[in-house]
Amino acid sequence: MWHVVGVSEPEERVYEALTRRGQATATDLLGHVALSRAQLGRTLGRLVDRGLATRLSGRPTRYAATPPDQVATVLIAERERELLRLRTHADQLAKEIRRSGGTGRHPAELVEVIEGGANLRATLVRLQREAKVQIRGMDRPPYLDNPVSGNSEETQQLADRGLTYRVIYDRSALAIPGRMAEIWRGIQGGERARVASNVPMKMMLCDDRLALIPVMAAGQLADAAYLVHPSSLLSAVSELFEAIWERAVAINRTGVRGGAAASAADEHPDQLSERDVELIGLLAGGATDERIARTLGWSVRTVHRHVHRIMTAVGAETRFQAGMEAVRRGWV
């Protein structure tokens, strides 16, 4: 754990062994740290120099560990100052590059390839943390991770910074059991969401600075993605999002209703079962009767009956409209 604040592995080993003993001589520690006597002596010296341990008077020389909570506080503060200096330096460098009229990148570097699941996840988090104004996303199956697990980073950014999130979901995404409930949790947190019938690709846009586009090969999601930097390609991707956004169906609640202005048709039904919630999500996703029946374990006839009931309740003329209207009213 301590490597994140610049403590090497041997230093960590010796420090934690010393911490557990309170005070100890080098001889006391030898059998617990897998180091030679000379290596242990040098390591103890570094711990003393960094303030992680104190050399006590007397013979033989004994060492006492600085309490770990104090050490962590000091080292984390030092690392935060270093990171802040780096951020300031990077921002200044970026401003100098922009003032000079250049991007600092060769055309061949305007699109990076990010490989590996861990790197992809780290890049997704980085884009959200670096965004100043908004994150725009297009979402469709297949998925690298469980699609029902949600985006914890979005939840944090919405709560802590009020960052704007606009996401377009492909209708097929809403048909995944449990996905509609997860999407609605994001909407309740502040996400603006819309649904389109043919979202062409998965994508995340960080302001107008970066776009992450997962690689699809033969209909399968590859363990890689394109990271697009400011360029004509990034501008085209941004325009594509906005064009689809304009045509997509909003699934956020469109306004606050209440008091005398509230209509009876917009009131929440007295009984809305968990199956009703799943059914509404499947309707919004454009699922067929047969697919709904398989998902919910119903007969097709039972599906017809429940679909008709929900269509009547919201005054919808189509199944998809019924699902979207039920979501808009906040029934799920």
Side-chain angles (χ1 to χ4, degrees):
M1 292 297 297
W2 294 91
H3 73 279
V4 299
V5 287
V7 178
S8 69
E9 193 273 336
E11 291 171 346
E12 175 180 341
R13 218 184 312 157
V14 174
Y15 172 72
E16 293 210 349
L18 183 59
T19 298
R20 291 186 171 92
R21 286 162 180 75
Q23 297 181 11
T25 66
T27 302
D28 295 333
L29 297 172
L30 261 180
H32 302 279
V33 294
L35 295 173
S36 68
R37 182 175 290 275
Q39 291 173 322
L40 176 59
R42 289 193 296 271
T43 302
L44 284 167
R46 290 196 296 271
L47 292 178
V48 171
D49 292 341
R50 298 190 62 181
L52 276 71
T54 303
R55 187 182 286 109
L56 305 176
S57 59
R59 295 292 178 183
T61 302
R62 301 182 66 79
Y63 297 86
T66 305
D69 53 346
Q70 295 180 23
V71 171
T73 298
V74 171
L75 294 182
I76 289 172
E78 289 177 357
R79 182 53 54 93
E80 287 176 341
R81 287 193 292 271
E82 292 171 0
L83 293 173
L84 182 58
R85 286 195 294 270
L86 172 59
R87 167 54 63 194
T88 302
H89 174 72
D91 287 346
Q92 183 60 39
L93 181 60
K95 290 177 183 177
E96 291 176 7
I97 292 172
R98 285 194 291 271
R99 280 197 298 267
S100 67
T103 64
R105 286 183 174 273
H106 187 276
E109 299 175 326
L110 294 175
V111 178
E112 294 182 61
V113 177
I114 309 297
E115 296 184 275
N119 291 332
L120 287 176
R121 295 180 186 92
T123 304
L124 283 169
V125 170
R126 178 169 68 87
L127 262 58
Q128 294 174 84
R129 292 180 179 178
E130 291 182 357
K132 298 292 194 298
V133 179
Q134 69 172 332
I135 289 292
R136 291 175 288 173
M138 294 199 295
D139 181 288
R140 59 164 299 149
Y143 297 96
L144 186 64
D145 294 317
N146 181 2
V148 182
S149 61
N151 180 357
S152 58
E153 188 63 33
E154 174 182 341
T155 302
Q156 183 173 339
Q157 294 299 328
L158 285 167
D160 294 349
R161 294 202 290 148
L163 190 65
T164 295
Y165 276 80
R166 290 195 289 148
V167 184
I168 306 170
Y169 295 94
D170 189 89
R171 286 173 60 174
S172 60
L174 276 61
I176 298 173
R179 189 72 203 282
M180 191 65 224
E182 185 274 319
I183 292 172
W184 185 244
R185 281 192 291 272
I187 292 172
Q188 290 176 314
E191 177 187 300
R192 296 169 59 193
R194 295 190 178 186
V195 178
S197 57
N198 288 297
V199 175
M201 60 183 176
K202 298 166 73 72
M203 178 188 68
M204 177 179 284
L205 270 164
C206 169
D207 296 328
D208 291 315
R209 299 186 300 111
L210 292 167
L212 189 69
I213 305 173
V215 176
M216 293 288 293
Q220 298 296 316
L221 188 63
D223 211 13
Y226 303 114
L227 184 62
V228 183
H229 293 264
S231 58
S232 56
L233 177 58
L234 182 64
S235 298
V237 169
S238 177
E239 290 297 324
L240 173 64
F241 174 90
E242 296 299 338
I244 298 175
W245 178 265
E246 287 300 316
R247 298 196 305 269
V249 179
I251 58 176
N252 302 68
R253 297 177 69 170
T254 57
V256 178
R257 298 178 301 276
S263 68
D266 279 354
E267 293 177 359
H268 193 288
D270 293 333
Q271 298 294 329
L272 194 66
S273 68
E274 292 184 7
R275 287 301 180 88
D276 285 336
V277 172
E278 287 191 72
L279 174 59
I280 289 169
L282 292 166
L283 289 175
T288 64
D289 289 339
E290 289 74 16
R291 182 170 186 175
I292 293 174
R294 289 196 301 271
T295 302
L296 301 181
W298 289 346
S299 68
V300 173
R301 184 174 180 178
T302 301
V303 171
H304 288 164
R305 179 162 50 82
H306 284 283
V307 168
H308 179 73
R309 175 172 55 83
I310 291 176
M311 288 177 63
T312 301
V314 300
E317 297 180 357
T318 68
R319 299 150 52 84
F320 179 66
Q321 184 184 21
M324 289 294 94
E325 180 61 18
V327 172
R328 185 192 71 79
R329 296 183 182 198
W331 289 9
V332 294

